[in-house]
Amino acid sequence: MTLPEPPDVVRSAYAELVVTDLDRARWFWSELLGMVVQADEPDALYLRGYDELTHHNLVLRAGAEPAASYFAFRVRTPADLARAEAYFGELGCPTRRLPAGSTLGVGAAVRVQDPLGFTVEFFHEIDRAERLVQRYDRRRGAEIARLDHVNIVVPDIPAAYEHYTSLGFGCSETIEDEHALYAAWMYRKQTVHDVAFTGGAGPRLHHLGFFAHESHQVLRICDILGSLQEEAHVERGPGRHGVSNAFYVYLRDPDGHRLEVYSSDYYTGDPDHETLRWNVHDPRRRDFWGNAVIESWYTEATTVLDLDGRPCPVRDVACDEVAVTVGADGFGLSTPESAHPGS
Ligand code: 4SX
Ligand code: FE2
Ligand code: CA
């Protein structure tokens, strides 16, 4: 199939999470994590990081069940909205035009249900926000700077890789072996990723990755959670990723939505940037110090909603590498034998 020209995606920009208790969500995301409240409505909060110069990186919307409504990519020009509509229309995906203001602070947008089953928004115009880069006096918690990436759970990693390659994304890193692709990190902005894939029953949202500049900000939010006896919000880490080299911690918000505080990855903007390929048996791939990944990180994720706000049914994993290969990308259970075959 020859597809029309895809929209020119600049970066991952924001996402909307449905939360069941907006006050508790505000406490977690704003008071503890330190995201800035940009706008406050009776049923929604609009939050951004300190470096962000646009209206928001996250919308928290009150609802009956936790879910992820959509995630959004900024596109380079207003004409890219029509490109998004034509491109996804040609793929047979449902598409919807949103008039300016449908999301507070955002201009006209196009929402699609993509071939992987996710509701994805494309927008160009968004209100400017006050520059807080050097308002050190206002910083709290993890001192979140901006949204860095979205990680999605998909049953078919090669299909996700092909889809985002067609959309013009580069691939910075993979986890693979001679038989299969287990995970991939793909970018439009000049960092390791805007989107990455975790294998499992999907479509589901795995996590939102928020950028902090320095590793001490990752440690500080862990210390704060410990002091408040809120340590149950810490799910995985802190640690150093093999993939991306980022210093990280994964937290779960009061509704179980997973977020990552992600700091200090690297530049990928050269045109001949090469993909770094990790073997699935390398114990350093997901934690450079070889710490095991806990099971919930692989299995638990957030329900995603379709264009009409209904939960998307999930499809099970096509080829479960955990079941077929001892020490593969499952539960961090690499054995010495699988890490160094034959030794
Ligand atoms: O667990 S991995 O080291 O593969 C990893 C997970 C690397 C970068 C990420 O952003 C991530 O979520
Ligand atoms: Fe991540
Ligand atoms: Ca824990």
Side-chain angles (χ1 to χ4, degrees):
M1 177 167 46
T2 49
L3 285 166
E5 191 187 344
D8 184 351
V9 171
V10 175
R11 60 160 171 149
S12 54
Y14 57 81
E16 179 175 298
L17 296 176
V18 179
V19 298
T20 57
D21 182 337
L22 201 52
D23 289 334
R24 200 161 156 72
R26 176 204 298 268
W27 162 79
F28 182 83
W29 289 92
S30 172
E31 300 301 312
L32 291 190
L33 272 178
M35 290 189 78
V36 178
V37 178
Q38 179 71 12
D40 193 346
E41 294 180 330
D43 64 344
L45 272 184
Y46 297 77
L47 302 171
R48 65 188 172 91
Y50 295 96
D51 286 12
E52 184 56 63
L53 301 177
T54 75
H55 188 266
H56 56 264
N57 295 127
L58 179 66
V59 183
L60 298 173
R61 192 168 296 284
E65 300 293 336
S69 318
Y70 59 84
F71 54 89
F73 292 121
R74 191 167 194 191
V75 294
R76 194 161 307 278
T77 69
D80 286 300
L81 297 186
R83 288 192 188 99
E85 221 169 12
Y87 182 85
F88 286 91
E90 186 67 27
L91 286 173
C93 297
T95 68
R96 191 166 295 171
R97 274 263 171 188
L98 301 181
S102 302
T103 303
L104 190 69
V106 181
V110 168
R111 267 189 214 163
V112 309
Q113 189 161 12
D114 80 4
L116 311 174
F118 293 89
T119 300
V120 181
E121 178 174 303
F122 298 87
F123 73 95
H124 171 70
E125 276 179 33
I126 184 165
D127 286 355
R128 302 278 89 200
E130 187 191 348
R131 184 181 149 95
L132 295 176
V133 175
Q134 290 177 317
R135 290 300 305 269
Y136 291 98
D137 56 311
R138 290 187 53 173
R139 293 193 188 183
R140 284 197 301 268
E143 304 183 32
I144 301 296
R146 56 180 166 80
L147 180 69
D148 186 82
H149 61 267
V150 175
N151 188 301
I152 57 178
V153 186
V154 296
D156 186 341
I157 301 277
Y161 174 89
E162 291 306 327
H163 171 60
Y164 275 97
T165 299
S166 305
L167 252 184
F169 283 59
C171 181
S172 57
E173 305 203 23
T174 67
I175 295 175
E176 60 186 47
D177 64 13
E178 59 280 16
H179 309 296
L181 180 64
Y182 297 98
W185 283 258
M186 305 195 69
Y187 63 93
R188 285 292 300 174
K189 70 177 176 336
Q190 302 182 343
T191 65
V192 169
H193 60 317
D194 290 285
V195 67
F197 321 124
T198 301
R204 291 182 298 162
L205 176 69
H206 191 273
H207 65 267
L208 300 176
F210 291 92
F211 192 80
H213 285 278
E214 296 173 40
S215 51
H216 70 80
Q217 292 156 335
V218 172
L219 297 173
R220 173 142 176 85
I221 189 61
C222 297
D223 283 338
I224 290 170
L225 289 165
S227 297
L228 296 174
Q229 298 189 10
E230 298 285 353
E231 73 292 341
H233 290 282
V234 179
E235 184 189 33
R236 175 185 161 199
R240 168 83 62 195
H241 283 308
V243 171
S244 82
N245 190 49
F247 198 83
Y248 72 92
V249 67
Y250 295 92
L251 308 177
R252 305 289 290 269
D253 89 346
D255 281 289
H257 298 307
R258 182 182 294 105
L259 70 125
E260 179 180 22
V261 184
Y262 176 93
S263 90
S264 63
D265 65 349
Y266 60 86
Y267 170 77
T268 57
D270 272 27
D272 54 356
H273 188 84
E274 280 178 25
T275 304
L276 177 60
R277 298 172 188 282
W278 290 81
N279 188 282
V280 71
H281 297 298
D282 190 329
R284 302 170 306 160
R285 71 201 184 284
R286 287 196 180 274
D287 183 287
F288 199 57
W289 310 328
N291 285 322
V293 176
I294 79 166
E295 183 172 344
S296 64
W297 190 89
Y298 278 109
T299 57
E300 295 175 11
T302 292
T303 300
V304 298
L305 303 181
D306 70 13
L307 282 175
D308 297 312
R310 290 178 304 231
C312 291
V314 297
R315 193 158 62 83
D316 223 335
V317 67
C319 151
D320 186 356
E321 71 274 16
V322 178
V324 296
T325 317
V326 173
D329 199 14
F331 313 144
L333 286 180
S334 289
T335 60
E337 170 58 22
S338 67
H340 307 283
S343 65

